[in-house]
């Protein structure tokens, strides 16, 4: 328990830092006016998709670095971080160029032509300059977690977000830059965090190894597809809620944001699982990896049950904190009790996700996510639109989605296929095997 807490607790503020900064940013920009607030929302959604789809730089790097660390090859684990950082910079620079070319069409497609799209485009063009450092931060989190160091990522991410949060009101109001000041503050904060992660690599060999980066992209391909399927599910749910009614859309947003925030707590357990399981398998100790899987599954269940009890008790009071609209409040219970009941299931799912990510079992996770979406989420969500099932149908789809994921994960973890020992998985190429 002590080792799990040592890794999981520092990870929680790191996961929560960006959402909390966005809340601060939203509050500051919100006083400029509705157009600026809407523009921030459009631009931030586009920017968030880049980091969401490229989380393999974090999760994949943790899995690979943890195996090497567990095998007693710490220098090679850090070298894995060097290559992930080079990859982050390369991909980031490409995205800056592509993003600048497409910023106008993308914001116009999302917001429609007019002042809102123009303001969003201006914000996005500035914010895109920070993308390379966003990706460097993902890679840095990945390799540091792989070597069992969650303290430095906590300090680095909080430092960057503190700079952004402090600079934002100064630039938006003090300097009179308005909405662009928010984007500049965002970029400065990303550069501060990224620079700290780059400094963490001081003193190690920095030569790029294209073969290793290619292997990281192969692992990343499966994780990117997994993330894309996940996004399709939740975009579909939002679209169906919006077509159901304004009140249903508002209620779905309230409950979904609470769900998203709680996943941060559960994800901190998954991050501990990635680091510990990867290290155990790298050390050749599959028995310890299996024991960790059982322990983390229990902790995920207990944490999920606790969250479920808390939010069941808050059902009568918490929704009113988010809205005073009577129609929205009347819709929220249709989703709320699904949300409460899913907490224990989610706790186990996130813990086992972390176990298999730590084992580098990305292909299985990709396939399981696709299966869960096709069998569980998407049919019920779109049938809800056809038959008018509303939020109850949408959240029933989410429930089936998680139940199918839980079933596939339990079957996989109970098998012998995932706990592959060694500094690398057997299917790795010669390039990966000769990292050092």
């Amino acid at each position: 328990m002590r080792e799990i807490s040592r890794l999981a607790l520092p990870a929680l503020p790191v996961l929560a830092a960006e959402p909390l900064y966005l809340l601060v940013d939203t509050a500051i920009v919100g006083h400029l006016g509705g157009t600026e607030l809407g523009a921030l929302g459009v631009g931030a959604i586009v920017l968030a998709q880049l980091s969401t789809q490229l989380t393999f730089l974090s999760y994949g790097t943790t899995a690979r670095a943890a195996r090497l660390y567990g095998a007693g090859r710490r220098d090679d684990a850090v070298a894995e971080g060097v290559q992930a950082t080079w990859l982050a910079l390369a991909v980031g620079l490409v995205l800056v160029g592509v993003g600048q070319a497409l910023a106008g069409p993308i914001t116009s497609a999302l917001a429609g032509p007019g002042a809102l799209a123009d303001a969003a485009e201006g914000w996005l063009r500035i914010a895109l300059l920070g993308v390379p450092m966003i990706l460097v931060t993902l890679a840095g989190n990945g390799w540091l977690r792989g070597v069992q160091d969650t303290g430095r990522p906590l300090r680095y991410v909080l430092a960057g977000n503190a700079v952004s949060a402090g600079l934002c009101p100064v630039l938006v109001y003090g300097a009179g830059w308005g909405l662009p000041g928010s984007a500049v503050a965002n970029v400065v904060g990303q550069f501060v965090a990224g620079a700290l992660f780059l400094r963490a690599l001081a003193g190690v060999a920095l030569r790029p190894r294209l073969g290793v980066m290619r292997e990281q992209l192969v692992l990343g391909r499966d994780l990117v597809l997994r993330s894309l399927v996940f996004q399709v599910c939740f975009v579909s749910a939002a679209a169906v809620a919006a077509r159901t009614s304004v009140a249903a859309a508002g209620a779905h947003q309230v409950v979904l944001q609470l769900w998203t925030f709680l996943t941060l707590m559960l994800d901190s357990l998954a991050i501990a699982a990635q680091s510990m399981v990867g290290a155990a398998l790298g050390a050749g100790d599959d028995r310890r990896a299996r024991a960790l899987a059982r322990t983390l599954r229990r902790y995920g269940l207990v944490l999920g049950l606790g969250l479920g009890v808390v939010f069941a008790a808050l059902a009568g009071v918490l929704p009113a904190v988010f809205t005073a609209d009577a129609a929205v409040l009347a819709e929220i219970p249709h989703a709320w009790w699904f949300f409460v009941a899913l907490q224990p299931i989610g706790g186990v799912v996130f813990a086992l996700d972390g176990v298999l990510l730590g084992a580098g079992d990305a292909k299985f996770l990709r396939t399981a996510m696709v299966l869960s979406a096709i069998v569980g989420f998407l049919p019920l969500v779109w049938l809800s639109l056809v038959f008018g099932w509303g939020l109850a149908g949408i959240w029933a789809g989410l429930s089936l989605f998680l139940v199918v994921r839980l079933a596939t994960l339990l079957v996989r973890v109970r098998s012998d296929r995932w706990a592959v020992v060694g500094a690398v998985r057997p299917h790795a190429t010669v390039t990966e095997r000769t990292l050092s």
Side-chain angles (χ1 to χ4, degrees):
M1 178 62 180
R2 182 178 302 172
E3 187 179 1
I4 293 173
S5 299
R6 180 179 66 82
L7 294 171
L9 291 179
L12 181 58
V14 172
L15 293 167
E18 188 66 18
L20 289 175
Y21 167 69
L22 289 175
L23 288 175
V24 172
D25 197 18
T26 300
I28 293 169
V29 171
H31 292 286
L32 291 172
T35 298
E36 289 82 359
L37 183 58
L40 174 64
V42 171
I45 285 174
V46 176
L47 193 66
Q49 290 306 306
L50 298 178
S51 58
T52 299
Q53 300 308 323
L54 295 171
T55 52
F56 77 88
L57 288 167
S58 180
Y59 295 154
T61 303
T62 295
R64 292 164 62 91
R67 279 183 174 269
L68 292 163
Y69 179 80
R73 297 165 57 183
R74 189 183 190 282
D75 289 346
D76 290 342
V78 176
E80 192 74 38
V82 171
Q83 303 313 311
T85 301
W86 278 117
L87 185 59
L89 288 168
V91 173
L93 289 172
V94 170
L95 289 175
V96 170
V98 173
Q100 294 295 337
L102 298 179
I106 289 173
T107 52
S108 293
L110 290 173
L116 180 61
D118 293 341
E121 179 185 348
W123 185 93
L124 183 60
R125 287 190 183 280
I126 297 171
L128 282 168
L129 300 177
V131 166
M133 288 306 188
I134 293 174
L135 302 187
V136 166
T137 295
L138 288 175
N141 269 295
W143 75 263
L144 282 168
R145 290 169 183 164
V147 299
Q148 312 277 300
D149 184 348
T150 53
R152 281 191 287 176
L154 173 61
R155 295 194 298 271
Y156 298 166
V157 170
L158 291 183
N161 278 272
V163 169
S164 294
L167 197 57
C168 188
V170 173
L171 296 181
V172 171
Y173 294 108
W177 291 3
L179 181 62
S182 159
V184 172
N186 190 295
V187 171
V188 172
Q190 299 296 352
F191 267 84
V192 169
L196 290 171
F197 280 106
L198 289 174
R199 191 182 68 174
L201 292 170
V204 303
L206 299 178
R207 182 168 64 89
R209 295 175 180 264
L210 296 180
V212 176
M213 284 186 262
R214 189 182 307 115
E215 293 297 332
Q216 291 176 340
L217 285 172
V218 169
L219 177 60
R221 174 196 61 201
D222 295 322
L223 295 179
V224 167
L225 180 57
R226 179 173 174 266
S227 295
L228 282 172
V229 171
F230 194 78
Q231 292 301 315
V232 167
C233 288
F234 282 90
V235 168
S236 297
V240 172
R243 285 164 174 77
T244 300
S245 70
V246 172
H252 178 69
Q253 175 68 6
V254 169
V255 181
L256 184 62
Q257 289 307 307
L258 285 170
W259 167 267
T260 302
F261 185 76
L262 291 187
T263 60
L264 298 175
M265 299 184 67
L266 301 174
D267 250 354
S268 65
L269 191 61
I271 285 170
Q274 292 172 42
S275 181
M276 295 169 67
V277 169
L281 292 175
D285 193 347
D286 62 316
R287 293 182 63 184
R288 172 169 166 75
R290 294 178 188 283
L292 283 168
R294 292 191 295 271
T295 300
L296 289 158
R297 184 174 63 203
R298 289 196 299 270
Y299 287 163
L301 178 61
V302 170
L303 180 57
L305 285 169
L307 292 173
V309 169
V310 168
F311 283 88
L314 294 173
V317 294
L318 188 58
V321 173
F322 293 92
T323 181
D325 188 299
V328 174
L329 289 172
E331 284 282 352
I332 284 178
H334 297 147
W336 189 270
W337 296 109
F338 285 102
F339 159 70
V340 168
L342 286 175
Q343 293 310 309
I345 298 173
V348 177
V349 166
F350 281 107
L352 295 183
D353 255 356
V355 168
L356 296 185
L357 281 168
D361 204 8
K363 288 184 179 180
F364 171 80
L365 289 171
R366 173 206 65 198
T367 303
M369 181 69 78
V370 172
L371 175 67
S372 301
I374 293 174
V375 172
F377 205 139
L378 294 174
L380 269 177
V381 166
W382 290 108
L383 285 172
S384 297
L385 178 63
V386 175
F387 293 103
W389 295 338
L391 283 190
I394 292 170
W395 281 78
L398 175 59
S399 300
L400 184 56
F401 174 67
L402 279 181
V403 168
V404 175
R405 285 183 67 194
L406 176 64
T408 59
L409 289 168
L410 287 172
V411 169
R412 184 66 167 183
V413 168
R414 289 173 179 170
S415 75
D416 295 326
R417 296 182 179 181
W418 66 275
V420 180
V421 298
V424 293
R425 290 180 70 88
H427 61 262
T429 66
V430 173
T431 301
E432 184 179 356
R433 292 180 184 279
T434 57
L435 173 65
S436 59

